[in-house]
Amino acid sequence: MQTVAANSTTASDASAPYDLGAAVALSCRECGTRTPLGPSFVCLECFGPLEVAYELPTGDPEGLRRRIESGPASMWRYAPLLPVPSDVAAKPNLNPGFTQLVQADRLAAELGVTGGLYVKDDSGNPTHSFKDRPVAIALEAARAFGFTTLSCSSTGNLAGAVGAAASRAGLRSCVFIPDGLEQSKVVMAAVYGGDLVAIDGTYDDVNRFCSELIGDPLGEGWGFTNVNLRPFYAEGSKSLAYEICEQLGWRLPDQIVIPVASGCQLVKIDKGLRELISLGLVEDKPFRIFAAQAEGCSPVSRAYKDGTDAVRPVKQPDTVAKSLAIGDPADGPYVIDICKRTGGAVDDVDDEQIVDAMKLLARTEGVFAETAGGVTLGVTRKLIESGAIDPTLTTVVLNTGDGLKTLDAVAPSSRPTAVIRPNLDAFRAAGLA
Amino acid sequence: MQTVAANSTTASDASAPYDLGAAVALSCRECGTRTPLGPSFVCLECFGPLEVAYELPTGDPEGLRRRIESGPASMWRYAPLLPVPSDVAAKPNLNPGFTQLVQADRLAAELGVTGGLYVKDDSGNPTHSFKDRPVAIALEAARAFGFTTLSCSSTGNLAGAVGAAASRAGLRSCVFIPDGLEQSKVVMAAVYGGDLVAIDGTYDDVNRFCSELIGDPLGEGWGFTNVNLRPFYAEGSKSLAYEICEQLGWRLPDQIVIPVASGCQLVKIDKGLRELISLGLVEDKPFRIFAAQAEGCSPVSRAYKDGTDAVRPVKQPDTVAKSLAIGDPADGPYVIDICKRTGGAVDDVDDEQIVDAMKLLARTEGVFAETAGGVTLGVTRKLIESGAIDPTLTTVVLNTGDGLKTLDAVAPSSRPTAVIRPNLDAFRAAGLA
């Protein structure tokens, strides 16, 4: 048993220093105080959130670029920039990432974007959401710290990602979700054979319960991807930034639109973009980050519009975009800071606009996005119309999940055009030829 | 308007010869008679099925291997071996393929396989089934021949793949499915905004109707991926063979287990493996091909067991594996030939064995397969137990689709372990710690 710092959670006797690649310590995002690598997540000095600090491979950007380009077609091509051992690709894990950056010319034409429009389509990940990325990093941390159970609080996508990753790795899993999620997400959280616990409450209730469990002997040996492994877990989203730039030919996008649940993904994409600049892998030029929320759970958007960074929690989220229904987003203030600093904005759309955007994306590009993808594209459309997004610049829109997981949103309007008997007369009568 | 041969279907005035890469003609699988490239599918001499004939890039296997390895992370890395223009990757299409070959060590341990067990997981394709591969090839043929509507008869997966590919490419789509498919497949067939026609009948009724439609003026300008574009479409499955070998380090697997609906996929994987041998990209050594069917629609398995290659159609398929429910499989006799020639076998499993295998794969490897994947793994398990599959040899099992599309099969047994109030006492009472 090892306690790295007083706020650490317990794990079995893995011996530090851990082999987590270029990661050298944890550091407080608020006061900068450093803590040794371990399952810690809160700064002992100021209670700020901890994040991973690196010694990144500087000095030879061309060599690093070649090393990345000759790596595997997964996020592990960026292993030198992530908190993972160098042999990570050889270990049993889901190998997520390197998903398609879709050049969305037909969508661009409909939206009047002339500077290039791209959809980063993370539905191509193994469990069909971006969550496979952070979970793959959290799994390495869990292995390093000797945890035997992988756990999480989840709005659904994370539960499936944790269940699948734990099965592949041979760990036990026990995941927690709010009761009443979409059927496909419940099935996907359960099908991998781990324990699935539904909590009678909201996501925020689930999250609070998990924090309680970590402090209790009941939770001993448990790695919660988004609680005590959060500093590692969170870094997974940096890979989205790396991939987008590499897939643009080692160029920064001018504008990028990102959905906000906890806000963690947006914060880490910003971090990833800045790392690429500091490593000399992309040209140092401005980029703008835009944040998208669903109106029915838009605490960050509301604070942004009110001109404050004091994000007031939403008690009862009510939106078709359940994967974004985090009423008390941990990284809300950071999201507002980043959008302001980069010249971006935060906005939200309602359920009807979400479904419209899902169908627009499917119809123009053949990408069937989750409701969260509808939020992001819906906000993109809104911000193009308002002029906040410049249609003459290169714009990347994130699709973080899969339409198959939020079927109910489009099912009523996605029915057969006609039901006919199998003959030409019946087809002729249907008027579709 | 151009008629390539009397059995061709019509298309608008694209000028031959078409740029379809290494494809030089169509040739009859039965009598070898050649026909110029075009939307033809039946031999005029003997009514046998046509397939694509190539002039493949022989003579420099090392150069070809390097060219492939430096290609895109999609099936287009094998463009030199497919009937597509050399700039195919730059055109708007779904860029499917190069899906993961999962080294399934935990599954191997449960099944007693010691020679290496791999799952080729095609749920990672853009619309989450292998169908994106043949459709991507058919799309190129449709473009070449000037078709304006992309169509198909489908048990569901193909419908979604055609809808998505047509949307990306800016073609109209109109797809035909039997009424009563899984909801997720219906939604996915409709969501891309093309026309979706449900036919009151079985898949075979749908298929016959499409053949009728092609011969009618109503179908003018229509490219049916699996009818008049079938020779091209079918070649898409060769890419599975190429990828498996490349991902094994340019080695042939010893044994490969493939699900059989029409049988087309199995036939083309065999063709692809033999091409790699003749091109010198892999060592020339024996490989065994095994075919898997669902008991409720097992015409090929039944014929194989009866020692005949006369495949008697199944009139009313009844299986949870609806994507394999083709009662009258066009390539059935070829499947039997190939399995016999290579020393493989054909077998089938019932619904319970299918669901068991789906859950086994999810629990051991974190891969949530469609029912068809359960068929393939279920038959693999059965053939290992019977001794037909040698557990000391390298074995590859195909998962051709995604569990999210056949949710009903596992939903009843994939529920939360417990539903609790958000407190430690409630969790303790659930007995899961």
Side-chain angles (χ1 to χ4, degrees):
Chain A
M1 200 74 67
Q2 181 189 35
T3 306
V4 174
N7 72 325
S8 288
T9 54
T10 54
S12 64
D13 59 340
S15 62
Y18 307 108
D19 174 14
L20 290 172
V24 292
L26 294 175
S27 111
C28 176
R29 243 196 283 172
E30 288 298 325
C31 72
T33 301
R34 288 206 167 194
T35 302
L37 287 174
S40 318
F41 55 106
V42 180
C43 174
L44 288 184
E45 298 296 323
C46 75
F47 303 103
L50 296 179
E51 65 176 358
V52 175
Y54 298 89
E55 276 171 15
L56 292 178
T58 54
D60 179 17
E62 271 313 312
L64 179 57
R65 197 180 295 177
R66 274 196 306 275
R67 184 172 158 195
I68 290 169
E69 287 174 348
S70 65
S74 73
M75 65 188 280
W76 303 137
R77 63 203 281 114
Y78 310 105
L81 311 180
L82 295 170
V84 292
S86 56
D87 64 345
V88 62
K91 296 185 175 195
N93 69 73
L94 297 184
N95 296 305
F98 213 55
T99 56
Q100 292 197 36
L101 183 71
V102 175
Q103 185 177 323
D105 291 347
R106 282 167 40 79
L107 177 62
E110 292 231 7
L111 297 181
V113 173
T114 56
L117 182 62
Y118 299 84
V119 176
K120 178 62 175 171
D121 185 13
D122 246 18
S123 67
N125 276 315
T127 70
H128 306 325
S129 89
F130 87 98
K131 290 290 187 186
D132 289 324
R133 299 173 185 271
V135 169
I137 306 273
L139 172 63
E140 291 313 310
R143 284 199 242 247
F145 304 149
F147 289 122
T148 51
T149 296
L150 206 59
S151 184
C152 66
S153 54
S154 171
T155 58
N157 279 327
L158 178 55
V162 165
S167 286
R168 178 74 58 88
L171 295 184
R172 184 201 168 201
S173 69
C174 181
V175 302
F176 299 89
I177 57 172
D179 205 13
L181 286 184
E182 299 95 336
Q183 191 206 20
S184 53
K185 285 184 182 164
V186 174
V187 170
M188 204 151 175
V191 76
Y192 302 106
D195 284 314
L196 169 67
V197 179
I199 297 275
D200 183 9
T202 64
Y203 171 78
D204 297 291
D205 293 324
V206 179
N207 213 17
R208 270 189 298 272
F209 166 74
C210 288
S211 299
E212 225 185 317
L213 184 51
I214 283 176
D216 191 272
L218 279 174
E220 203 163 295
W222 288 40
F224 287 79
T225 58
N226 54 341
V227 190
N228 58 346
L229 298 174
R230 190 174 186 84
F232 304 93
Y233 163 87
E235 297 292 290
S237 289
K238 288 198 314 178
S239 60
L240 276 160
Y242 303 152
E243 289 179 19
I244 288 167
C245 290
E246 181 180 354
Q247 290 169 325
L248 285 174
W250 294 107
R251 280 194 308 120
L252 289 166
D254 299 315
Q255 304 172 122
I256 179 164
V257 193
I258 303 170
V260 168
S262 75
C264 169
Q265 183 183 49
L266 185 144
V267 169
K268 293 301 175 174
I269 289 177
D270 173 62
K271 186 182 181 187
L273 295 174
R274 287 184 291 113
E275 281 175 357
L276 292 184
I277 293 173
S278 72
L279 288 164
L281 290 176
V282 297
E283 193 190 355
D284 186 0
K285 71 161 198 66
F287 56 85
R288 295 182 201 159
I289 295 185
F290 298 84
Q293 292 211 295
E295 189 181 281
C297 183
S298 51
V300 183
S301 176
R302 231 183 306 157
Y304 174 83
K305 288 174 183 173
D306 291 347
T308 171
D309 66 355
V311 175
R312 290 211 345 256
V314 170
K315 291 246 169 65
Q316 289 296 336
D318 178 19
T319 166
V320 70
K322 294 187 185 178
S323 66
L324 301 183
I326 296 186
D328 189 9
D331 284 345
Y334 296 106
V335 166
I336 293 172
D337 283 356
I338 290 168
C339 291
K340 281 189 181 161
R341 168 170 55 75
T342 63
V346 189
D347 213 330
D348 54 86
V349 282
D350 65 24
D351 283 1
E352 194 183 329
Q353 292 168 308
I354 293 168
V355 172
D356 278 358
M358 290 170 76
K359 301 198 81 167
L360 172 65
L361 183 59
R363 178 170 60 76
T364 53
E365 299 298 339
V367 172
F368 184 23
E370 195 186 299
T371 44
V375 168
T376 316
L377 181 58
V379 165
T380 303
R381 174 150 67 174
K382 194 173 171 186
L383 292 175
I384 290 170
E385 283 163 8
S386 78
I389 288 180
D390 183 341
T392 68
L393 299 178
T394 302
T395 304
V396 174
V397 177
L398 251 64
N399 173 37
T400 51
D402 202 293
L404 281 174
K405 294 202 201 175
T406 56
L407 223 49
D408 290 349
V410 295
S413 59
S414 298
R415 304 292 312 153
T417 323
V419 182
I420 63 167
R421 297 280 307 156
N423 62 66
L424 291 174
D425 284 344
F427 182 61
R428 201 171 285 115
L432 297 171
Chain B
M1 200 75 65
Q2 181 189 36
T3 306
V4 174
N7 72 325
S8 287
T9 54
T10 52
S12 65
D13 60 340
S15 62
Y18 307 109
D19 174 14
L20 290 171
V24 293
L26 295 174
S27 111
C28 175
R29 244 197 280 172
E30 289 297 326
C31 73
T33 301
R34 288 205 168 196
T35 303
L37 288 173
S40 318
F41 55 106
V42 180
C43 173
L44 288 184
E45 297 296 322
C46 74
F47 302 104
L50 296 179
E51 65 176 358
V52 175
Y54 298 90
E55 276 171 16
L56 293 178
T58 53
D60 180 16
E62 271 314 311
L64 179 56
R65 198 180 293 176
R66 274 197 305 276
R67 184 171 159 196
I68 290 169
E69 287 173 348
S70 65
S74 74
M75 65 188 278
W76 303 137
R77 63 203 283 112
Y78 310 105
L81 311 180
L82 295 170
V84 293
S86 56
D87 65 344
V88 61
K91 296 186 175 194
N93 70 73
L94 297 184
N95 297 303
F98 213 54
T99 56
Q100 292 197 35
L101 183 71
V102 176
Q103 186 178 323
D105 291 347
R106 281 166 41 78
L107 177 62
E110 293 232 6
L111 297 181
V113 174
T114 56
L117 182 62
Y118 298 84
V119 175
K120 179 62 176 171
D121 186 12
D122 247 18
S123 67
N125 276 314
T127 71
H128 306 325
S129 90
F130 87 97
K131 291 290 187 185
D132 288 325
R133 299 173 185 269
V135 168
I137 306 274
L139 171 64
E140 290 313 310
R143 284 198 243 247
F145 305 148
F147 289 123
T148 50
T149 296
L150 207 59
S151 184
C152 66
S153 55
S154 171
T155 59
N157 278 327
L158 178 56
V162 165
S167 286
R168 178 75 58 87
L171 294 183
R172 184 201 169 202
S173 69
C174 182
V175 301
F176 299 90
I177 56 172
D179 205 13
L181 286 184
E182 299 96 336
Q183 191 206 20
S184 53
K185 286 184 182 163
V186 174
V187 170
M188 203 151 175
V191 77
Y192 302 106
D195 285 314
L196 169 67
V197 179
I199 297 274
D200 183 9
T202 64
Y203 172 78
D204 298 291
D205 293 325
V206 179
N207 213 16
R208 272 188 297 273
F209 167 74
C210 287
S211 299
E212 223 185 321
L213 184 52
I214 283 175
D216 191 273
L218 278 175
E220 202 162 297
W222 288 41
F224 288 78
T225 58
N226 54 342
V227 190
N228 58 346
L229 299 174
R230 190 174 186 85
F232 304 93
Y233 164 87
E235 296 293 289
S237 289
K238 289 198 311 177
S239 61
L240 276 160
Y242 304 152
E243 289 179 20
I244 288 167
C245 291
E246 180 181 355
Q247 291 169 325
L248 286 174
W250 294 107
R251 280 194 306 121
L252 289 166
D254 298 316
Q255 305 173 122
I256 178 166
V257 194
I258 304 170
V260 168
S262 75
C264 169
Q265 183 184 47
L266 185 144
V267 169
K268 293 302 176 175
I269 288 177
D270 173 63
K271 185 181 181 188
L273 295 175
R274 287 184 290 115
E275 282 175 356
L276 293 184
I277 293 172
S278 73
L279 288 164
L281 290 176
V282 297
E283 193 191 355
D284 186 0
K285 72 161 197 66
F287 56 85
R288 295 182 202 159
I289 294 186
F290 298 84
Q293 293 211 294
E295 189 181 282
C297 183
S298 51
V300 183
S301 176
R302 230 183 306 155
Y304 175 82
K305 289 174 182 174
D306 291 347
T308 169
D309 67 353
V311 176
R312 291 211 346 256
V314 170
K315 291 246 168 64
Q316 288 297 334
D318 178 18
T319 166
V320 71
K322 294 186 185 178
S323 66
L324 301 183
I326 296 186
D328 190 8
D331 284 345
Y334 296 106
V335 167
I336 293 173
D337 283 356
I338 289 167
C339 291
K340 281 189 180 163
R341 167 169 57 73
T342 63
V346 189
D347 213 330
D348 54 88
V349 282
D350 66 24
D351 283 1
E352 195 183 329
Q353 293 168 307
I354 293 168
V355 172
D356 277 357
M358 291 168 75
K359 300 198 81 166
L360 172 66
L361 183 59
R363 177 170 60 76
T364 54
E365 298 298 340
V367 172
F368 183 23
E370 196 186 298
T371 45
V375 168
T376 317
L377 181 57
V379 165
T380 304
R381 175 150 67 174
K382 194 173 171 186
L383 293 175
I384 290 170
E385 284 163 8
S386 78
I389 288 181
D390 182 342
T392 68
L393 299 178
T394 302
T395 305
V396 174
V397 178
L398 250 64
N399 173 37
T400 50
D402 203 293
L404 281 173
K405 295 203 201 174
T406 56
L407 223 49
D408 291 348
V410 294
S413 58
S414 299
R415 304 291 310 153
T417 323
V419 182
I420 63 168
R421 296 280 305 156
N423 63 66
L424 291 174
D425 284 344
F427 183 60
R428 202 172 285 116
L432 296 171

